[in-house]
């Protein structure tokens, strides 16, 4: 039996609440569904694992990929308790998820101290104008590896 969008979102919110109260991290949860079945669950684990990338959506995507034994979640839906930050949004695109349902907005998150606006603004800037300096070095050596990849007969494209 397949769950409705509202039932799944309520499960996401319940997950975010229970894990927040358990001390896992911030008040965020996520579930990945494919063909009406839950294939991945995640909650914010940034502070409990000391991993700044352990946002609910990323954790749920990792869980879904482990469970399906695939790096592609084509056809899947991500349900998340909050509008994804730029990192989580990028992970969603990389995993090929088809649709996102979210509850709280990024403005709601900002009001409780989770303000992602800085990241959105940084991504719009030219590389030389960003807060974290970036300097290109050893491109000629790194390009050799790219050329080897291009010629690799047994590569798995993603």
């Amino acid at each position: 039996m397949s769950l409705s969008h509202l039932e799944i979102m309520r499960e996401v919110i319940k997950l975010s609440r229970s894990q927040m109260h358990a001390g896992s991290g911030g008040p965020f949860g996520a579930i990945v569904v494919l063909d009406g079945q839950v294939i991945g669950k995640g909650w914010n684990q940034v502070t409990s694992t000391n991993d700044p990338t352990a946002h609910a959506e990323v954790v749920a995507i990792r869980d879904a990929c482990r469970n399906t034994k695939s790096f592609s979640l084509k056809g899947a839906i991500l349900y998340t308790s909050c509008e994804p930050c730029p990192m989580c949004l990028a992970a969603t695109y990389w995993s090929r998820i088809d649709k996102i349902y979210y509850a709280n907005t990024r403005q709601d998150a900002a009001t409780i101290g989770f303000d992602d606006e800085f990241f959105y603004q940084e991504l719009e800037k030219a590389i030389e104008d960003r807060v974290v300096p970036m300097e290109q070095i050893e491109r000629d050596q790194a390009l050799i590896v790219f050329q080897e990849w291009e010629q690799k007969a047994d590569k798995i494209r993603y």
Side-chain angles (χ1 to χ4, degrees):
M1 179 173 99
S2 170
L3 298 171
S4 74
H5 297 306
L6 294 178
E7 290 171 318
I8 297 167
M9 187 57 78
R10 288 179 188 134
E11 284 299 311
V12 167
I13 294 166
K14 184 177 163 183
L15 182 64
S16 70
R17 178 181 286 120
S18 68
Q19 292 301 318
M20 174 195 65
H21 285 297
S24 294
F28 305 98
I31 291 177
V32 180
V33 174
L34 180 64
D35 298 327
Q37 301 299 312
V38 173
I39 60 168
K41 291 184 178 183
W43 51 90
N44 184 285
Q45 298 174 33
V46 170
T47 57
S48 61
T49 63
N50 295 314
D51 179 353
T53 68
H55 289 200
E57 298 90 338
V58 171
V59 173
I61 288 167
R62 289 174 180 163
D63 189 42
C65 290
R66 246 188 324 273
N67 291 332
T68 61
K69 296 177 177 43
S70 176
F71 55 81
S72 176
L73 299 175
K74 183 85 177 123
I77 300 170
L78 173 67
Y79 295 83
T80 178
S81 63
C82 190
E83 180 181 352
C85 74
M87 176 185 68
C88 294
L89 187 58
T92 303
Y93 276 90
W94 274 113
S95 67
R96 310 300 193 262
I97 285 176
D98 284 9
K99 187 168 187 173
I100 301 170
Y101 287 95
Y102 65 95
N104 292 315
T105 66
R106 67 192 205 205
Q107 291 80 16
D108 296 330
T111 64
I112 62 165
F114 295 93
D115 193 352
D116 299 335
E117 197 56 38
F118 168 76
F119 301 109
Y120 284 100
Q121 291 171 2
E122 279 294 292
L123 292 172
E124 292 177 1
K125 293 179 182 177
I127 288 174
E128 61 274 5
D129 296 331
R130 292 181 184 162
V131 170
V132 176
M134 294 176 64
E135 183 178 342
Q136 185 180 33
I137 58 174
E138 290 295 322
R139 179 175 181 249
D140 56 337
Q141 295 301 308
L143 276 175
I144 295 168
V145 180
F146 274 18
Q147 292 161 356
E148 291 171 9
W149 168 259
E150 194 172 38
Q151 302 303 313
K152 191 174 187 311
D154 63 344
K155 65 184 164 214
I156 299 173
R157 294 192 178 274
Y158 56 97

